[in-house]
Amino acid sequence: MVQGEDLSLLEVRHLSVSLRTREGEIRPVSDVSFTIGKGEAVGLVGESGSGKSLTGLSLLGLFPPGAKVLSGGIFFEGLDLLAQEDSALRKIRGQRISMIFQEPQSALNPVLTIGTQMRELFKSHTDLSDDRIRECVSDRLRSAGLPDPERVLRSYPHQLSGGMRQRVMIAMAIALDPHLVIADEPTTALDPTVALQILTLLSSIRESRTKGLLFISHDLSHVRRISDRILVMYAGRIVESSPSRAFFETGPLHPYSRALLASRPEGTGRTRKDAPLPAIPGQVPPLWSLPTGCAFAPRCSRADERCRTESPPWQSEGEAGALCFYPDTTPLGAPLHVA
Ligand SMILES: Nc1ncnc2c1ncn2[C@@H]1O[C@H](COP(=O)(O)OP(=O)(O)OP(=O)(O)O)[C@@H](O)[C@H]1O
Ligand SMILES: [Mg+2]
């Protein structure tokens, strides 16, 4: 046990994870540090391949083959997760920390009905009677926006639509009332009305003031709706951590975060929905050949020689901070909002 701060639910300290790939060894999680407080929802954003899912999976000790923790620590409710035996981690998983996986098929067993899988979850973690389990299972499915639980319970995963499978996963993730929920792109397969319903449900997780949420998403409008704080990842690193309000109202500090914000449809003042979305110029560098200095420098309009040769420092601005030599503190003004 460590002497954890009272208000902190999860603390990740300087976590680095390496992964063996065909192209060589990469570091998809590199010196990652952040905390999630009790009652806090933290959004994690970044382009595809930036390391968001691997960061989430690391919190559950679910590493893909070839992955290795190089350094750092993960502390949950004062418990050092990296020091736990597999059996202890299995108990924590699902019950105290749960994850809504980006790939629903990785969490659902194709040869068992949803009912069997959900009842099993309760049986393995609680002493509830069969009748009470049946009630709980139906209740969780309804909360996740599945109005006909009986039909869902009789179905096998392949008999449900992608959106329904995703809602089943959400029902399973909240089933045991966990203290931390990691939601990895939980709204991608859902139509806008159901997505909003799910956001409201996820948002309610933290209302007890004892629980927390890590919300991983590409959709900045969803992240804005749900998160108290925003973490931005780029090439395996957290490059910004800012209160949501400061991020969206005053403006983010990191030029990459600003570029992400400007690439949103509503960030550009696009009037036609079908008008092309402005992309951030350039490509995400492959993790096996990152440039020297700041990994974003080749795409950054503020970059100079120093950015291309030296690793940027973490610079704080009140409660916000960014991994950048030149954090942008100009208030977000008209330029981002006019076409
Ligand atoms: N099982 C794996 N085997 C090999 N490489 C992997 C594996 N899982 C992830 N990676 C690599 O690690 C990096 C980070 O992947 P990760 O899935 O965490 O990104 P992400 O930010 O979640 O992306 P997305 O937004 O597309 O979900 C990527 O370069 C990816 O190719
Ligand atoms: Mg992902």
Side-chain angles (χ1 to χ4, degrees):
M1 296 283 276
V2 294
Q3 210 60 38
E5 210 189 313
D6 234 4
L7 289 174
S8 148
L9 183 68
L10 177 85
E11 195 175 339
V12 179
R13 290 189 207 146
H14 303 291
L15 182 69
S16 291
V17 177
S18 71
L19 187 62
R20 255 193 339 268
T21 69
R22 259 185 289 162
E23 288 80 14
E25 187 155 296
I26 60 171
R27 199 166 297 183
V29 178
S30 186
D31 198 20
V32 162
S33 294
F34 64 93
T35 58
I36 299 180
K38 290 176 181 162
E40 192 177 36
V42 172
L44 178 57
V45 301
E47 282 165 292
S48 191
S50 55
K52 305 182 297 295
S53 293
L54 278 179
T55 300
L57 291 165
S58 301
L59 305 182
L60 291 170
L62 295 175
F63 298 102
K68 194 168 71 185
V69 176
L70 296 176
S71 54
I74 306 173
F75 302 92
F76 171 70
E77 295 185 328
L79 201 67
D80 179 353
L81 289 186
L82 292 177
Q84 300 304 306
E85 301 281 335
D86 276 355
S87 56
L89 262 187
R90 266 197 300 275
K91 268 185 116 167
I92 294 170
R93 241 181 253 147
Q95 193 164 27
R96 287 166 68 190
I97 307 181
S98 72
M99 183 153 180
I100 300 164
F101 293 93
Q102 186 169 11
E103 308 293 339
Q105 56 274 32
S106 63
L108 295 173
N109 188 330
V111 298
L112 299 176
T113 63
I114 303 299
T116 308
Q117 297 186 56
M118 284 200 77
R119 283 190 294 272
E120 194 44 49
L121 191 62
F122 280 92
K123 278 190 190 146
S124 59
H125 288 283
T126 71
D127 300 323
L128 296 177
S129 67
D130 287 354
D131 282 351
R132 186 76 190 102
I133 288 179
R134 224 168 284 128
E135 277 170 35
C136 288
V137 163
S138 298
D139 170 71
R140 302 304 191 274
L141 288 172
R142 275 196 208 93
S143 303
L146 293 159
D148 184 4
E150 292 313 315
R151 186 172 85 77
V152 174
L153 290 171
R154 283 194 305 273
S155 307
Y156 289 89
H158 73 270
Q159 293 173 314
L160 301 175
S161 69
M164 286 173 97
R165 274 199 297 268
Q166 196 151 9
R167 276 174 276 174
V168 167
M169 293 236 315
I170 291 165
M172 289 176 82
I174 58 165
L176 300 167
D177 212 15
H179 289 186
L180 175 66
V181 174
I182 302 158
D184 194 355
E185 305 278 2
T187 48
T188 23
L190 305 176
D191 67 57
T193 324
V194 181
L196 281 187
Q197 196 182 345
I198 294 302
L199 287 180
T200 309
L201 174 70
L202 289 175
S203 188
S204 69
I205 288 172
R206 69 185 203 281
E207 276 160 17
S208 71
R209 314 306 300 169
T210 56
K211 297 178 187 160
L213 175 70
L214 181 65
F215 182 75
I216 302 173
S217 179
H218 277 102
D219 191 323
L220 281 170
S221 65
H222 286 178
V223 169
R224 180 178 194 171
R225 190 177 275 269
I226 209 168
S227 313
D228 305 302
R229 208 146 42 82
I230 313 283
L231 303 172
V232 181
M233 265 190 112
Y234 189 77
R237 289 180 183 272
I238 303 277
V239 297
E240 171 148 9
S241 168
S242 289
S244 191
R245 198 158 218 214
F247 190 95
F248 287 104
E249 289 174 17
T250 324
L253 293 175
H254 201 285
Y256 174 61
S257 316
R258 294 220 166 202
L260 274 182
L261 204 53
S263 68
R264 288 185 312 162
E266 58 273 47
T268 59
R270 284 191 322 160
T271 46
R272 278 179 41 228
K273 278 238 178 293
D274 56 349
L277 194 67
I280 303 174
Q283 300 269 316
V284 184
L287 289 173
W288 56 91
S289 70
L290 289 178
T292 339
C294 172
F296 186 59
R299 303 168 78 188
C300 181
S301 56
R302 291 168 84 85
D304 65 7
E305 201 40 38
R306 184 153 73 143
C307 305
R308 285 183 275 274
T309 50
E310 294 172 36
S311 298
W314 185 264
Q315 301 213 62
S316 300
E317 216 18 74
E319 287 180 69
L323 194 67
C324 183
F325 283 110
Y326 308 113
D328 195 342
T329 52
T330 33
L332 267 191
L336 277 182
H337 295 283
V338 292

